[in-house]
């Protein structure tokens, strides 16, 4: 009806946990995603953009995801019909899409996807309820060649966006190896699901808690600094020893392998001397076979465990054939990956350079991407097992890393601002700006209230404008324009003496006909 | 808890009214949006990506939008807190963002935004509940120079994506003129809101229903072909005449103006003879002043009407100064734009070329973008009037237009497929594919079950692969590869005799070391 209900003024606020992205925040992310999709395309992956909305049923809200018991989705009910929900990741929709279109899609189906996902979680500082993911998955390829390919692609992707070789490492493990270790430790029964969950999460925290912390979690539990208590797996001490031997297998060597990868041989040589550096390099080259040997010794006769080790070995071979050695992609038994649905290889990309934390202490940047093989997701729909493997890049974290390394392009250059000295001359200002744009120069006429000229220059400053153009009736009569170099002007204002300022004026007169060429020259 | 509830298998279906986009559907849209944002940037507009989720309160679910009484939003309630909803356009979020950040944003604030919006409507054929919009708005610029700028940018944008000059026309009107006409027709009172709505919608349908149809809607109402009855405004016949005179003002001349714009002078000359063609061309050049004169005669003494005509005149002058004549941007009194919130200039871009409708009849492609000035949207939040104007491009319609004109790039070229003849040689295949990628060639190893070689070629076909590479143990021993030109192969299979086929084999042997250069040559 036509009557408008009188309401109190609405609050102009983003909902809690959501945010807006402005200017360079949008274009820098876009530039990064463009580079990523180029690599994905190069590897033969095709774009997919699935609906943001799924039925709750298809989304698999009830996936047994032991790591995220409290995470929910944003859902609502259609008028007396299905419940719909916003996707919470890009993998569940892929499983639905593949099941729905499997007769039309090529098999294997290599696809990439990038876009927002939504989580109905308690928002916190830096923790948002809408964020970007960027995934690549191969569906219908049973061979670990598919997993190896994704690890190689992940390494290429990181380099393509600006993370240099040595600043990242892709760490690979295999859930079957973990399951083999569990088997040997007597934790393979159906009644041990909870314990296995605790063990996986404990290993995952090795980096942060160290071996003693993990030991507590495998045993009676652990009280953290704040006094909170985390329930342990209550394993006996020999089982705990066995698991710890596995999780920390060759961590020392791995540390050094990664130091070589990170700092380069020269760095290691400077720090440890030539002789030791050689040893480390040898260790690095030999690393994957050392690791495989150690793993074999820990899984004994476990069939699934042996299968896992064999798969890791195949992956290492395939990767080596393409030149991806342990300086880029390394076998690391401590990689777990939280998600319950992984069934084979798991992998994650870690950035190894240091940044300062909130308290100014140096710490490693950490993980920016991860994934693995999940052979059961499509089965939910079709009843048939469809092998699949894929990676998800944490877009915001990777952007933050590029920011920390100074690898992001500068903010978009602001437009050239044509100021308004004389409102009656607006048509002329429009024609100036038209000429500039025709020459490919970002430009605009000031469209606010032109009365106060100072406001126009303040506006130009806020827009990060490189140049302001001024044409009053005096200039118009003489067929000239004033061109003000705002970048130079700011520099002069900061540093120059009055004399210098006179010699190198930031503002000069230009013939009307020379405007475009002069502006081009000034912009370089 | 660890126990997984046994559930029936979920259906693999996109929710009703939603869809997925595959491969070229994603990349072609992206390419188009990239070109659009280049133009927007050139005009000084900055990117904004606002949250997809808004509070229902901020979204203004209760906006008096007479044209869309049944359109809803997808909304849900936070635990005993606010109602949240998916944005239904990009304008309401802009108003919220500007109100929220107005102290940090430059004024005027030129921003562009592109992304999905959601409408809780009954889905129908070709009518989706999630679709893309692509908007550009200027907030805080009271002058119609801002509206003129957006019209010029719209014309540039259409040409940038591949719509040639003459294939589109941007039509401009002003709500104040419409209000002036209403005033003269005695429809300006607060008690005439319903009638005004009917009149606006009726004029909007002039194209489709013709003058007689509009006359019925202004009078007693209209029964359409299906027998459905639309309530009329019940105006008396002199009022109806007045409104019709306005809406059809110079429609005849406009038709011809648009024919000149569409077909070019030569076309008009061929059709109507040289003498008439000259008249049409003169009419085209003079069109805007003719239109303004006619409008003035229809709005009498109405103050708001005169203001509207003056604004149209200013816009025409500003546009002419940049070279945008009525062949690209034209004053057209029949432009209404549905949305209730427009307060000044309204504009829309129409594609003037013909396509075939479902029944094979030729019809004009029609509108692909529209917008106007809305000075009251921000006021909802702040209480202060903030002038704003902006355009929204119908992304899917514009894509369809480019498709109809054959202006979309071909589907992404498929990858070169390295087939698997011998599973044991997988590492070698990976190294081949690695070399190709290093040379920038899209390539992949076949990762399905390699047993059936025919399936590998079928896969290559489905992927639109230009080349397949074959290396069995025999080839490997001899240091060669078989390179199969799949494009040529398909052509030969279609047209060639057996003799020709032998002379021009689609498959040939290449030395292993020459692979990359040979493939490069074949891909051109």
């Amino acid at each position: 009806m036509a009557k408008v209900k009188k309401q109190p003024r609405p609050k102009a606020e983003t909902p809690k946990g959501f945010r807006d992205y402005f200017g360079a925040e949008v274009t820098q992310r876009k530039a990064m995603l463009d580079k990523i999709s180029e690599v994905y395309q190069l590897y033969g992956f095709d774009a997919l953009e699935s609906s943001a909305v799924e039925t709750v049923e298809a989304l698999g809200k009830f996936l047994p995801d032991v790591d995220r018991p409290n995470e929910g989705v944003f859902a609502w009910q259609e008028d007396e019909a299905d419940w719909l929900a916003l996707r919470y990741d890009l993998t569940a929709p892929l499983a639905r899409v593949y099941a729905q279109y499997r007769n039309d899609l090529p098999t294997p189906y290599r696809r990439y996807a990038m876009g927002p996902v939504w989580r109905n979680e308690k928002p916190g500082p830096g923790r948002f309820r809408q964020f970007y993911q960027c995934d690549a998955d191969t569906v219908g390829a049973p061979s670990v060649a598919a997993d190896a390919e994704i690890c190689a692609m992940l390494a290429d992707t990181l380099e393509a966006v600006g993370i240099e070789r040595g600043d990242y490492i892709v760490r690979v493990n295999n859930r079957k190896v973990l399951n083999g270790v569990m088997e040997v430790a007597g934790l393979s029964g159906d009644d041990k699901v909870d314990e296995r969950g605790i063990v996986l999460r404990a290993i995952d925290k090795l980096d942060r808690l160290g071996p003693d912390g993990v030991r507590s979690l495998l045993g009676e539990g652990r009280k953290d600094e704040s006094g909170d208590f985390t329930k342990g797996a209550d394993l006996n001490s020999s089982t705990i020893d066995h698991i710890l031997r596995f999780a920390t297998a060759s961590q020392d060597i791995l540390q050094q392998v990664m130091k070589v990868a990170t700092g380069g041989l020269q760095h290691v040589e400077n720090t440890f001397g030539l002789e030791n550096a050689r040893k480390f390099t040898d260790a690095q080259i030999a690393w994957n076979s050392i690791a495989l040997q150690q793993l074999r010794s820990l899984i004994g006769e476990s069939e699934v465990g042996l299968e896992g080790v064999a798969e890791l070995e195949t992956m290492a071979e395939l990767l080596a054939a393409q030149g991806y050695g342990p300086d880029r992609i390394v076998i690391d038994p401590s990689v777990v990956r939280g998600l319950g649905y992984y069934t084979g290889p798991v992998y994650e990309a870690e950035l190894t350079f240091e940044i300062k934390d909130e308290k100014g202490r140096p710490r490693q940047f950490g993980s920016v991407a991860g994934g693995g093989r999940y052979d059961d997701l499509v089965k939910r729909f079709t009843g048939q097992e469809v092998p699949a493997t894929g990676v998800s890049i944490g877009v915001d974290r990777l952007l933050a890393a590029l920011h920390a390394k100074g690898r992001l392009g500068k903010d978009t250059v602001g437009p050239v601002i044509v100021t308004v000295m004389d409102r009656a001359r607006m048509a002329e200002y429009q024609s100036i700006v038209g000429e500039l744009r025709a020459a490919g120069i970002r430009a605009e006429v000031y469209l606010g209230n032109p009365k106060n000229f100072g406001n126009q220059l303040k506006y130009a400053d806020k827009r990060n404008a490189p140049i302001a153009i001024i044409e009053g009736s005096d200039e118009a009569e003489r067929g000239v324009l004033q061109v003000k170099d705002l970048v130079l002007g700011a520099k002069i204002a900061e540093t120059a003496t009055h004399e210098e300022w006179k010699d190198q004026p930031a503002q000069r007169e230009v013939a009307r006909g020379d405007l475009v060429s002069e502006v081009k020259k000034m912009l370089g």
Side-chain angles (χ1 to χ4, degrees), chain A:
Chain A
M1 288 307 303
K3 270 235 173 114
V4 182
K5 241 202 216 156
K6 195 87 181 177
Q7 286 183 75
R9 229 176 256 166
K11 279 192 220 93
E13 278 176 9
T14 330
K16 275 189 196 63
F18 293 88
R19 56 164 295 196
D20 307 302
Y21 296 83
F22 294 88
E25 293 173 335
V26 178
T27 50
Q28 287 171 342
R29 181 178 57 205
K30 184 184 171 307
M32 185 182 87
L33 292 177
D34 282 356
K35 282 182 200 154
I36 293 176
S37 47
E38 257 178 55
V39 178
Y40 287 179
Q41 289 266 355
L42 195 63
Y43 271 78
F45 286 69
D46 275 343
L48 168 69
E49 186 174 319
S50 67
S51 163
V53 176
E54 299 274 350
T55 62
V56 164
E57 195 193 353
L59 213 44
K61 191 183 170 181
F62 307 106
L63 268 179
D65 188 340
V66 288
D67 243 351
R68 302 192 317 223
N70 292 319
E71 279 179 17
V73 295
F74 292 106
W76 61 90
Q77 191 173 18
E78 289 262 86
D79 323 320
E80 293 164 45
D82 289 347
W83 277 82
L84 300 183
L86 290 172
R87 65 182 179 207
Y88 59 82
D89 72 4
L90 300 173
T91 311
L94 170 63
R96 191 266 305 156
V97 166
Y98 186 80
Q100 184 171 352
Y101 299 100
R102 61 189 182 283
N103 295 327
D104 304 315
L105 291 171
T107 297
Y109 178 47
R110 286 177 173 88
R111 88 87 180 79
Y112 69 87
M114 26 192 70
V117 301
W118 293 266
R119 301 262 171 99
N120 193 356
E121 296 174 314
K122 245 198 164 50
R127 196 183 162 110
F128 294 100
R129 301 161 89 190
Q130 171 182 336
F131 53 93
Y132 262 70
Q133 285 194 339
C134 170
D135 286 21
D137 294 78
T138 302
V139 183
S143 143
V144 293
D147 304 87
E149 177 176 87
I150 286 185
C151 290
M153 184 165 77
L154 185 52
D156 285 9
T157 300
L158 292 173
E159 293 185 23
V161 299
I163 304 290
E164 274 168 22
R165 203 170 293 184
D167 270 349
Y168 71 89
I169 191 90
V170 179
R171 302 150 79 218
V172 185
N173 196 10
N174 194 306
R175 271 292 168 86
K176 292 177 182 168
V177 178
L178 286 166
N179 291 342
V181 172
M182 300 277 196
E183 208 176 298
V184 172
L187 293 173
S188 56
D190 273 352
D191 56 332
K192 298 284 164 74
V193 176
D194 286 356
E195 284 86 348
R196 284 203 297 275
I198 295 176
V199 171
L200 287 179
R201 290 195 295 279
I203 297 176
D204 205 23
K205 290 175 185 157
L206 182 61
D207 262 15
R208 197 153 50 80
L209 304 183
D212 288 345
V214 174
R215 181 179 289 278
S216 313
L217 286 173
L218 296 177
E220 288 170 359
R222 179 176 175 275
K223 196 181 272 191
D224 69 15
E225 287 162 21
S226 75
D228 281 347
F229 183 76
T230 309
K231 194 173 160 291
D234 237 345
L235 306 179
N236 64 45
S237 72
S238 81
T239 308
I240 293 178
D241 282 346
H242 187 83
I243 292 171
L244 263 179
R245 257 202 310 281
F246 163 75
T248 60
S250 322
Q251 282 291 310
D252 298 347
I253 303 183
L254 182 61
Q255 287 300 329
Q256 277 144 22
V257 166
M258 283 174 52
K259 263 194 203 113
V260 178
T262 312
L265 184 57
Q266 194 57 52
H267 167 77
V268 182
E269 201 180 309
N270 294 345
T271 317
F272 300 100
L274 181 63
E275 202 49 40
N276 280 321
R278 274 209 192 112
K279 264 192 238 155
F280 293 154
T281 322
D282 290 347
Q284 189 196 343
I285 292 164
W287 165 249
N288 281 337
S289 38
I290 297 171
L292 289 165
Q293 210 176 316
Q294 296 212 354
L295 288 179
R296 248 187 224 104
S297 78
L298 284 161
I299 50 164
E301 300 290 303
S302 161
E303 213 168 295
V304 63
L306 287 169
E307 205 180 309
V309 175
E311 287 184 3
L312 279 176
E313 196 163 18
T314 306
M315 284 180 69
E317 278 168 21
L318 292 172
L319 288 165
Q322 292 174 78
Y324 297 87
D327 58 328
R328 287 192 272 170
I329 305 178
V330 70
I331 293 173
D332 181 345
S334 73
V335 174
V336 170
R337 305 294 306 156
L339 288 170
Y341 58 60
Y342 290 128
T343 55
V346 285
Y347 31 85
E348 65 183 23
E350 197 182 322
L351 302 190
T352 50
F353 57 82
E354 285 182 349
I355 53 160
K356 296 270 198 301
D357 69 7
E358 320 81 62
K359 292 181 181 162
R361 291 170 303 202
R363 62 168 187 81
Q364 287 214 335
F365 192 90
S367 173
V368 290
R373 177 164 285 271
Y374 51 98
D375 287 346
D376 296 332
L377 267 190
V378 178
K379 192 178 178 184
R380 284 182 59 236
F381 296 100
T382 62
Q384 289 168 307
E385 197 166 281
V386 177
T389 184
V391 69
S392 182
I393 292 178
V395 172
D396 291 318
R397 279 191 60 75
L398 185 53
L399 258 179
L402 295 177
H403 190 72
K405 291 293 268 187
R407 295 284 152 69
L408 290 177
K410 281 272 160 205
D411 283 11
T412 326
V413 181
V416 171
I417 307 283
V418 176
T419 57
V420 176
M421 290 298 280
D422 179 359
R423 216 189 284 237
R425 303 188 52 72
M426 189 53 105
E428 158 71 358
Y429 300 142
Q430 292 290 354
S431 101
I432 293 175
V433 95
E435 284 170 38
L436 291 169
R437 286 174 193 149
I441 297 163
R442 192 175 193 216
E444 56 172 65
V445 176
Y446 179 72
L447 287 183
N449 186 338
K451 242 192 240 163
N452 181 333
F453 190 70
N455 279 348
Q456 299 198 40
L457 291 184
K458 263 184 224 156
Y459 171 81
D461 190 47
K462 209 162 198 173
R463 290 303 308 280
N464 204 14
I467 291 170
I469 290 168
I470 303 158
E471 188 209 53
S473 46
D474 167 57
E475 279 88 5
E477 263 169 44
R478 294 189 293 121
V480 297
L481 298 161
Q482 301 292 333
V483 179
K484 203 176 163 74
D485 186 331
L486 299 174
V487 183
L488 182 61
K491 218 181 290 171
I492 290 174
E494 249 178 44
T495 61
T497 63
H498 186 69
E499 281 311 299
E500 286 168 333
W501 189 84
K502 280 208 302 198
D503 288 347
Q504 195 189 25
Q507 179 172 328
R508 67 180 194 278
E509 206 169 282
V510 167
R512 175 72 181 80
D514 297 339
L515 176 67
V516 170
S517 60
E518 281 295 323
V519 167
K520 268 195 167 166
K521 215 185 293 167
M522 286 168 71
L523 293 175

